[in-house]
Amino acid sequence: MIKLRNVNKTYKNGENKTLALNDVSIDIDEGEMIAIMGISGSGKSTLLNILGCMDCFNSGEYLYRDIEVHSLNKKCFHQFRKEHIGFVFQHFALMNQYTVYENIELPLSIQNVPKKERRERVYDALEKMGIKDIAKKLPTKISGGQQQRCAIARALASGNELILADEPTGALDVNTGNEIMSIFKELNQQGKTIVIVTHDYKVAAYAHRILYMNDGKIGENMDEIKN
Ligand SMILES: Nc1ncnc2c1ncn2[C@@H]1O[C@H](COP(=O)(O)OP(=O)(O)OP(=O)(O)O)[C@@H](O)[C@H]1O
Ligand SMILES: [Mg+2]
C-alpha cells in the first residue's frame, strides 16, 4: 500500500539544521497495524506527518498504491490527505467550542458532503465508538477517553483507509488507553490500515509489527539503527 524510499527531511531554523529523517525506507501493506517506537526527538512524529501529508520532505519517494505522492502539487497534496488519511493525536485536537457531533461533522462540511449523508456518517461513527449519548456535549464536558473516541470517530467518518495516530494513549490512564487500543485493533480487523506512534511497549504489542527510530533512522530492530 505504501512504499517510502530514501526519504530525507531537514528542518531549518535560521542557521540551525536538523536532519529529522535520515534515508528512511519503509513498506506498509494494506490492512497492517504498525507501531513506531523510539526516544523523544528520534523522528517519529516527523515520519507520521510525512505519511499523512501534513508536511513535505526534501528528497526521496513516497508511493501510495499507484499514486506518486512526492510528485503531487500543493493542491493535490492536500486533496490526497483529505481523501486517504485519518489523523488521531495525543491531545485529541478537538475544537472546544463545538459539540462532539459538530467536531465529527466539520471536516465533512469542508468537503461539501451533503447534509443527509453527513448525518448518516456522523451517527454511524458515533455508534461505532459508543458515544452517541454524548453527541451534543462539548469536549470540555467529557472524559479524556470519550474525547479520544470522538477524535477517532472524526477520522472514521471521513471514510479514509489509513489511520495515523501520534501517541493516541499518551494522555490517558492505563485502562482507558487499553480501551482505545482495543478500538484501533477492531478497526484494523475491519480493514483499516493503522500506524501508531507510541512510547509504550504494551501499546505497541497490539500491532503486527514494530518499527524503531533512532536519530532519524528507522529499522526493524534497535541494533541496526544505533549510531
Ligand atoms: N518544526 C520543527 N522545526 C525544527 N525542528 C524540528 C521541528 N519539528 C521537529 N524538529 C526536530 O526534528 C527531530 C525529530 O522530531 P520529532 O518531533 O519527529 O520527534 P519525535 O520522535 O516525535 O519525538 P517525541 O517523542 O518527543 O514526540 C527533533 O530533533 C526535533 O527537535
Ligand atoms: Mg512526537
Side-chain angles (χ1 to χ4, degrees), residues 23-207:
D23 202 29
V24 166
S25 297
I26 53 171
D27 291 277
I28 300 173
D29 288 337
E30 206 88 43
E32 263 200 300
M33 180 158 168
I34 292 183
I36 299 178
M37 301 192 78
I39 60 166
S40 183
S42 56
K44 306 179 297 296
S45 297
T46 303
L47 175 60
L48 214 61
N49 288 341
I50 281 171
L51 285 173
C53 289
M54 304 279 273
D55 205 351
C56 50
F57 45 97
N58 302 96
S59 60
E61 292 183 354
Y62 178 2
L63 289 173
Y64 187 99
R65 295 182 178 151
D66 53 357
I67 304 167
E68 287 187 357
V69 179
H70 55 271
S71 307
L72 298 177
N73 63 30
K74 208 170 171 184
K75 194 172 160 217
C76 298
F77 192 71
H78 292 304
Q79 191 56 32
F80 170 85
R81 180 172 75 216
K82 284 187 208 141
E83 281 176 15
H84 298 281
I85 316 288
F87 251 105
V88 177
F89 301 94
Q90 177 174 4
H91 295 288
F92 326 125
L94 299 172
M95 286 196 260
N96 286 336
Q97 70 274 37
Y98 293 113
T99 65
V100 164
Y101 183 99
E102 289 163 345
N103 265 281
I104 302 168
E105 184 186 36
L106 200 65
L108 304 178
S109 303
I110 292 168
Q111 288 187 59
N112 297 318
V113 176
K115 189 164 184 184
K116 185 166 174 283
E117 189 186 334
R118 286 204 305 264
R119 208 181 149 72
E120 283 166 8
R121 281 164 65 172
V122 174
Y123 269 108
D124 188 44
L126 284 168
E127 190 142 11
K128 280 199 180 118
M129 288 302 107
I131 51 170
K132 229 170 160 179
D133 53 325
I134 53 164
K136 292 201 175 89
K137 291 200 172 177
L138 293 172
T140 49
K141 306 286 179 199
I142 60 178
S143 71
Q146 288 171 324
Q147 289 185 62
Q148 198 57 303
R149 282 167 190 265
C150 174
I152 298 172
R154 179 178 57 189
L156 273 188
S158 69
N160 295 349
E161 63 273 23
L162 176 64
I163 296 182
L164 304 175
D166 200 347
E167 306 256 10
T169 62
L172 304 173
D173 65 74
V174 174
N175 286 338
T176 313
N178 283 334
E179 272 172 41
I180 294 298
M181 287 313 298
S182 303
I183 289 172
F184 278 117
K185 191 84 208 166
E186 214 176 297
L187 294 178
N188 174 247
Q189 281 160 356
Q190 290 164 10
K192 301 283 183 197
T193 303
I194 299 181
V195 182
I196 292 180
V197 164
T198 182
H199 283 282
D200 184 343
Y201 270 100
K202 292 205 182 89
V203 168
Y206 283 84

